Amino acid sequence: MKKTIQLCVLSLLIFFLMLISSTSAQDSEQDRERLYMTKFCITCHGQKGISVAPNYPNLAKQNEQYLVSQMKDIIKKKRANKLTLLMTEHPVVISISDEEIAAVAIYMTNIKLTP
Ligand code: HEC
């Protein structure tokens, strides 16, 4: 009996672990869009990648490979100017991982601009 309970608890634990790991993945369009919002990209680069100010670039439909390389350069400060500093001084933006950069680039490339 005790063993059965232990087994049940263990399998429940494994189930929840699987649930957590699957929800933190960035493999659906909604996950990638959420990343764009929670990493604050939206505050400057705007809804659907159309920027909120004339000195901020639009990112919608930009080439995926280019987005990844620019993001990496900006974060490593290889590409640095007064405006990229706005990005790199933002603690949430700078905390983005390589996997998240790849996911957010897919999101920006595939943005549909028509309603
Ligand atoms: C505080 C405002 C701000 C935030 C937040 C921000 N950016 Fe930026 N981003 C900028 C500005 C300004 C530039 C243009 C810098 C320049 O003129 O060189 C830029 C440039 C870029 C570029 C290069 C675009 C190009 O055409 O070369 C990419 C890609 C980019 N941002 C992605 C992101 C992503 C992804 C996030 C979220 C993780 C993000 N940015 C968050 C302000 C911001």
Side-chain angles (χ1 to χ4, degrees):
M1 185 66 187
K2 206 175 168 196
K3 259 216 158 112
T4 321
I5 293 174
Q6 277 178 341
L7 253 167
C8 274
V9 171
L10 192 72
S11 49
L12 257 176
L13 198 74
I14 292 172
F15 173 74
F16 280 116
L17 278 176
M18 280 167 70
L19 205 71
I20 292 169
S21 66
S22 70
T23 50
S24 69
Q26 287 103 34
D27 38 48
S28 81
E29 201 180 313
Q30 284 97 318
D31 291 336
R32 293 192 284 264
E33 186 174 13
R34 197 174 310 122
L35 202 57
Y36 181 77
M37 302 197 189
T38 55
K39 288 284 171 188
F40 289 97
C41 319
I42 191 167
T43 57
C44 299
H45 295 290
Q47 188 113 41
K48 297 197 168 220
I50 302 299
S51 92
V52 297
N55 52 349
Y56 294 174
N58 298 328
L59 301 175
K61 300 248 168 259
Q62 186 51 275
N63 295 330
E64 185 184 333
Q65 201 182 323
Y66 174 78
L67 287 169
V68 170
S69 68
Q70 292 311 304
M71 272 294 292
K72 288 187 177 170
D73 282 358
I74 290 172
I75 283 174
K76 287 183 196 136
K77 298 196 177 159
K78 277 200 228 162
R79 170 176 164 182
N81 62 38
K82 273 192 193 148
L83 285 173
T84 55
L85 277 180
L86 289 175
M87 262 176 79
T88 46
E89 277 171 0
H90 200 299
V92 178
V93 174
I94 203 91
S95 74
I96 198 166
S97 69
D98 281 2
E99 291 74 29
E100 289 168 334
I101 289 178
V104 99
I106 295 174
Y107 169 71
M108 295 182 285
T109 303
N110 294 325
I111 283 174
K112 290 178 192 73
L113 293 174
T114 45

